[in-house]
Amino acid sequence: QVQLVESGGGLVQPGGSLRLSCAASGGTFSNYNMGWFRQAPGKEREFVAGIARIGGGTGYGDAVKGRFTISRDNAKNTLYLQMNSLKPEDTAVYYCAASRMGIPTTALGNYDYWGQGTQVTVSS
């Protein structure tokens, strides 16, 4: 069983940047496709970005394309999300998640393990 712990959230002004990290333990990190999701108050949890376990291919939600970058360091068992040009509508709790599926997936239900989340607030 994989345990995931996010960090790096906080308060940032519009146009600013943040880098989230997700430390994994208890499993073989490189065996999992990984993803970032977010949930704003009163809204459903949505896919932000994903990265494949093999080859490192990436995919992004439309709202963050061109601004966010997902990456992973399998030697450090860590997932990252670099967030640039942040907007107030990016305010949410951000979650990392691990999927045992053989192919990368954007569907929330296909992820097996979740972190506790980290709050990102974009406000002036």
Side-chain angles (χ1 to χ4, degrees), residues 7 10-11 23 32 43 49 52 54-55 57-58 69 83 85 93-95 100 104 109 112:
S7 61
L11 174 64
Y32 295 90
K43 295 188 176 181
I54 298 175
T58 60
T69 303
M83 305 186 295
S85 302
V93 177
Y94 283 71
Y95 300 89
R100 294 176 296 181
D112 304 287

Side-chain angles (χ1 to χ4, degrees), residues 32-93:
Y32 295 90
N33 295 310
M34 299 297 296
W36 287 99
F37 290 77
R38 67 186 183 186
Q39 188 166 17
K43 295 188 176 181
E44 294 185 350
R45 194 171 297 189
E46 65 173 354
F47 173 79
V48 173
I51 187 165
R53 62 186 179 93
I54 298 175
T58 60
Y60 298 90
D62 289 341
V64 306
K65 281 181 182 176
R67 300 188 297 123
F68 290 11
T69 303
I70 188 172
S71 61
R72 65 191 298 164
D73 186 335
N74 287 341
K76 295 183 177 180
N77 293 340
T78 303
L79 178 73
Y80 302 100
L81 184 68
Q82 178 67 44
M83 305 186 295
N84 298 329
S85 302
L86 283 161
K87 305 174 182 180
E89 50 264 43
D90 294 318
T91 295
V93 177

Side-chain angles (χ1 to χ4, degrees), residues 97-123:
S99 172
R100 294 176 296 181
M101 286 193 66
I103 57 175
T105 175
T106 63
L108 185 150
N110 288 337
Y111 284 81
D112 304 287
Y113 305 105
W114 293 84
Q116 82 290 347
T118 186
Q119 177 71 46
V120 172
T121 302
V122 185
S123 175

